[in-house]
Amino acid sequence: MTNRKKRLKKGINSLQEQIVLHEEKKKKAEENGNEELVEYYRKEIESKEKDKIKREEILEKQKK
């Protein structure tokens, strides 16, 4: 079980890093006026946040 907890924590951290990276790219796309790219990054961020929440919920269940 310990290995699974470590993997979940690493996955959560990785998703958070990806969210931050995508937010930065989204800001650059907004500055350049590329609306299609902005929409793409918005969807990606939303998807990664959902995945992060799911993994956090699984990790909480593992702690019990």
Side-chain angles (χ1 to χ4, degrees):
M1 285 297 191
T2 304
N3 288 336
R4 179 167 180 157
K5 289 179 186 178
K6 285 182 182 180
R7 276 197 329 255
L8 285 169
K9 288 179 184 178
K10 279 186 175 182
I12 291 168
N13 290 336
S14 175
L15 284 169
Q16 182 59 41
E17 290 173 6
Q18 290 176 4
I19 290 168
V20 170
L21 182 64
H22 278 55
E23 286 174 348
E24 291 172 4
K25 289 181 179 181
K26 181 180 153 202
K27 286 180 186 178
K28 287 182 183 179
E30 287 173 343
E31 291 172 1
N32 293 332
N34 191 342
E35 291 300 318
E36 291 175 2
L37 201 54
V38 170
E39 185 63 21
Y40 167 77
Y41 285 125
R42 186 191 64 75
K43 287 180 181 179
E44 283 291 309
I45 292 168
E46 186 177 303
S47 172
K48 291 184 187 310
E49 286 176 344
K50 285 181 184 178
D51 289 342
K52 181 181 166 198
I53 290 170
K54 286 180 186 176
R55 289 185 186 196
E56 288 171 341
E57 289 173 354
I58 293 170
L59 183 61
E60 283 298 314
K61 288 180 184 177
Q62 294 293 315
K63 288 182 179 181
K64 293 182 180 180

